[in-house]
Amino acid sequence: FGFVARYYDDTLGVNPKTLALTEIVDLLGAGLGILPVFETDGAGPWTVDKGTLHGQAAVREAARCGQPLGTPIVFAIDQDADPASLVDYFNGVYSVLLDRFVIGVYGSYRVVKYARETFPATGFFWQTYAWSNAQVYPAADVFQHANGVTLRVGLDVDLDVASSPIP
């Protein structure tokens, strides 16, 4: 394994799914890259206000975790969303992240393709096989191809392949 994707959310590290400072030290010490993905519920409505709030929470989490400026924070669209409905949300995210972090998108084939071709401020693309109807977007930086794979008792992971470096 070369990297681990871990969560940011709006709980300031209280949610057990979120990245912990001790975990960062362990992961970096093991030579693994860390890909932060922001998700609260992964669902709409995808409004400017929601994007702004998520952007603010993501910046707070990045500061809490010591994430270097200029690295990606991926925002999860964890449903079969209409890509055009995401424009307002990502405008809100952009208004907060500006030039601080690379804005990333996690979603289906059509979400990732639309974001890559339509959102000029977005620079990292992570496609899931879910809702992708067996289509793989070749310009995605990461492709998630399996969920719930048991590595050992008590440790289930999703499997992804990266075609771009993960910091």
Side-chain angles (χ1 to χ4, degrees):
F1 296 100
F3 72 97
V4 174
R6 296 291 290 130
Y7 289 97
Y8 288 164
D9 67 13
D10 56 358
T11 66
L12 296 174
V14 173
N15 181 340
K17 286 179 65 173
T18 59
L19 190 57
L21 297 175
T22 55
E23 184 180 15
I24 293 168
V25 171
D26 291 345
L27 292 170
L28 294 176
L32 296 171
I34 302 171
L35 180 59
V37 56
F38 184 91
E39 182 176 35
T40 55
D41 60 8
W46 303 105
T47 64
V48 170
D49 289 345
K50 187 174 189 175
T52 302
L53 289 172
H54 286 179
Q56 291 167 341
V59 168
R60 281 192 306 271
E61 285 293 278
R64 179 182 68 82
C65 292
Q67 181 175 340
L69 294 175
T71 58
I73 300 175
V74 177
F75 290 81
I77 310 301
D78 210 0
Q79 64 176 238
D80 191 15
D82 171 9
S85 73
L86 304 172
V87 172
D88 288 341
Y89 176 79
F90 279 98
N91 282 335
V93 169
Y94 176 75
S95 73
V96 176
L97 269 65
L98 298 170
D99 294 323
R100 299 181 201 183
F101 297 97
V102 174
I103 299 169
V105 176
Y106 166 92
S108 68
Y109 172 89
R110 65 189 192 132
V111 165
V112 170
K113 182 178 188 297
Y114 185 87
R116 175 114 185 163
E117 295 172 1
T118 310
F119 300 162
T122 307
F124 194 89
F125 306 91
W126 180 5
Q127 182 194 345
T128 177
Y129 71 96
W131 313 292
S132 291
N133 300 313
Q135 295 177 292
V136 177
Y137 188 59
D141 297 290
V142 175
F143 180 71
Q144 181 184 63
H145 59 89
N147 297 101
V149 175
T150 301
L151 293 184
R152 62 173 167 75
V153 175
L155 180 60
D156 292 343
V157 300
D158 300 338
L159 298 180
D160 302 87
V161 175
S163 57
S164 298
I166 306 298

